[in-house]
């Protein structure tokens, strides 16, 4: 059966054994972005940033690089939305639960300090 007789949704599905072909230019561009982000991350230490500014910049560059790697090199940008949710939502839920535990630990600490006369 020829592709012309198939509905449009079936005509775009690659045959068995064929994969998605992405232009090499895309990968080179992402590689260049990763190189620039890594250089900027290195420059944070080179210019001796300290404190919250240093860690904010390092974590920001790290997350940007991880996002590029996951979306392009691991082909997440071309996956179905349900698969993206299955991969991305659990770590986000864990971050929310960790934040709740941090808030709860502060509450327990101050309750012990106020009512028991010490933190430990």
């Amino acid at each position: 059966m020829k592709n012309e007789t198939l509905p449009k949704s079936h005509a775009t599905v690659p045959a068995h054994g064929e994969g998605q072909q992405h232009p090499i230019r895309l990968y080179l561009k992402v590689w260049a972005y990763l190189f620039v982000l890594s250089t900027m991350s290195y420059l944070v230490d080179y210019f001796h940033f300290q404190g919250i500014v240093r860690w904010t910049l390092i974590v920001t560059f790290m997350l940007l690089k991880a996002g590029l790697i996951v979306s392009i090199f691991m082909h997440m940008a071309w996956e179905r939305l349900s698969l993206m949710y299955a991969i991305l939502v659990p770590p986000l839920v864990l971050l929310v639960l960790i934040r709740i535990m941090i808030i709860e630990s502060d509450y327990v600490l101050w309750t012990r300090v106020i009512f028991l006369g010490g933190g430990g």
Side-chain angles (χ1 to χ4, degrees):
M1 189 180 269
K2 294 183 180 179
N3 281 342
E4 295 84 38
T5 60
L6 291 175
K8 217 175 215 185
S9 62
H10 295 336
T12 59
V13 175
H16 181 68
E18 293 180 20
Q20 293 179 346
Q21 293 294 324
H22 306 291
I24 190 75
R25 191 179 79 186
L26 173 68
Y27 292 107
L28 292 175
K29 188 184 297 186
V30 170
W31 181 84
Y33 288 147
L34 289 171
F35 181 79
V36 168
L37 288 170
S38 295
T39 302
M40 292 170 69
S41 182
Y42 172 76
L43 290 175
V44 168
D45 284 334
Y46 183 78
F47 288 119
H48 303 291
F49 287 106
Q50 295 296 321
I52 193 72
V53 173
R54 176 177 189 243
W55 290 109
T56 302
L57 289 172
I58 288 174
V59 169
T60 301
F61 294 142
M62 176 193 66
L63 290 174
L64 287 172
K65 290 190 297 186
L68 278 172
I69 290 167
V70 168
S71 67
I72 303 301
F73 293 121
M74 296 177 71
H75 305 283
M76 185 63 71
W78 297 282
E79 293 295 337
R80 290 185 168 169
L81 191 58
S82 61
L83 182 61
M84 283 191 220
Y85 285 154
I87 292 173
L88 298 177
V89 169
L92 294 176
V93 169
L94 283 175
L95 288 175
V96 169
L97 292 174
I98 289 170
R99 181 65 182 148
I100 292 170
M101 288 189 296
I102 290 171
I103 293 168
E104 181 70 18
S105 69
D106 287 341
Y107 171 76
V108 169
L109 173 68
W110 286 109
T111 302
R112 287 182 179 179
V113 168
I114 293 169
F115 294 108
L116 299 177

